[in-house]
Amino acid sequence: MHLRYFFELIALAALWGASFLFMRVAVPEFGPIWLIAWRVFLAGLILLPVLMHQGLVGELRKNLKPLFIIGAFNSALPFLAYAYATTILTGGFTSILNATVPLFGVLLVLLGINKETLSWTQIGGFLLGFVGVGILLGWHTSTANPHFWLAVMAGLGAAFLYAVSATYIKRSLVGVSAVVIAAGSQLAAFLLFLPLLPFSVPTAVPSLIAILALIALAVFSTALAYLMYFRLIRILGPARAVTVTYMIPLFAMIWGSLFLHEPITWDMIVGCIVILTGTALANGVFTRWRKKKSTIHKT
């Protein structure tokens, strides 16, 4: 990987890690529904001119149904779930739950939904990843309340929806431009939120800090992050681009600690390491690295 693209992956991880900080700042004043509705609306508006400039409006119209499905299950519901989770959990803790997305992808293979072949190492990685989740949660069992467990289930549920959505995209949006998927899904998600907005109006006008956090969430952690991610997929391929997932919790914990003084606890560190190790095993990262290293030695 060229050094430039490696730094772009780090920048992308920093942007997505910051999304948990921005949600933590803005969600208490906007509420989860209004925050996410504005997030997807602003992101969609930013991406729409890019789509129009590339002459992809016709492609958008042809794929309205699958885009609405992706808007619901890859944006609206998981974004909302994470926004709710950050009202109770720290941004770093929530981001570690988000890191289980590739593990749920392996689960779909084990259930026969994804037709792929898994090695015993990958299955072991899957099990190790969920041991990491257990470690992460184990320290909280004595002090946890029903709201804590509901927030955890929301975070894990969002991760599962991301995995399911990835499968659906592969099957139903083959050959569709990444910009069309990104812009169309964000705008579709906003339309799904519209009926809920009158029933979830904030009790007071949000502060300037909350508004700026919302704008940063939509512009940098959604619209710009999507464009960077899809560009890296095109240049590096999905296997390398997805490694950004492994760095997001690190940045989420750093931003939360720096700006919100959130504690970085031992259970978060140990649980994160175990989850990411299991995820890497489950996705064959170490196997690919060994093969690449072997090839280099042979040459």
Side-chain angles (χ1 to χ4, degrees), residues 52 76 153:
M52 295 174 68
M153 293 305 297

Side-chain angles (χ1 to χ4, degrees), residues 25-37:
V25 172
V27 75
E29 298 187 41
F30 280 95
I33 292 176
W34 268 63
L35 175 65
I36 301 307

Side-chain angles (χ1 to χ4, degrees), residues 1-81:
M1 184 187 300
H2 194 283
L3 192 60
R4 170 188 170 184
Y5 301 134
F6 176 72
F7 283 120
E8 285 189 31
L9 277 175
I10 293 176
L12 179 57
L15 288 176
W16 270 337
S19 68
F20 297 94
L21 167 66
F22 298 143
M23 285 191 285
R24 286 276 288 170
V25 172
V27 75
E29 298 187 41
F30 280 95
I33 292 176
W34 268 63
L35 175 65
I36 301 307
W38 280 106
R39 173 185 182 176
V40 296
F41 176 67
L42 293 175
L45 282 186
I46 294 168
L47 291 167
L48 190 58
V50 179
L51 181 148
M52 295 174 68
H53 177 71
Q54 296 183 8
L56 298 171
V57 176
E59 189 173 307
L60 177 71
R61 291 173 179 167
K62 292 178 182 177
N63 295 280
L64 287 179
K65 181 179 177 180
L67 287 173
F68 265 93
I69 293 173
I70 291 302
F73 294 102
N74 194 65
S75 293
L77 290 176
F79 285 180
L80 187 62

Side-chain angles (χ1 to χ4, degrees), residues 20 25 43 46 69 85 101 109 121 135 140 144-145 155 174-175 188 201 216 223 235:
F20 297 94
V25 172
I46 294 168
I69 293 173
V101 172
V109 176
T121 300
I135 292 172
H140 298 270
N145 56 47
V174 177
V201 179
I235 295 172

Side-chain angles (χ1 to χ4, degrees), residues 174-219:
V174 177
V176 177
S177 168
V179 177
V180 170
I181 298 173
S185 63
Q186 298 307 292
L187 294 174
F190 175 71
L191 294 177
L192 294 171
F193 277 117
L194 270 179
L196 303 176
L197 296 183
F199 305 101
S200 54
V201 179
T203 55
V205 177
S207 66
L208 178 60
I209 292 178
I211 293 173
L212 290 176
L214 164 61
I215 294 173
L217 178 65
V219 175

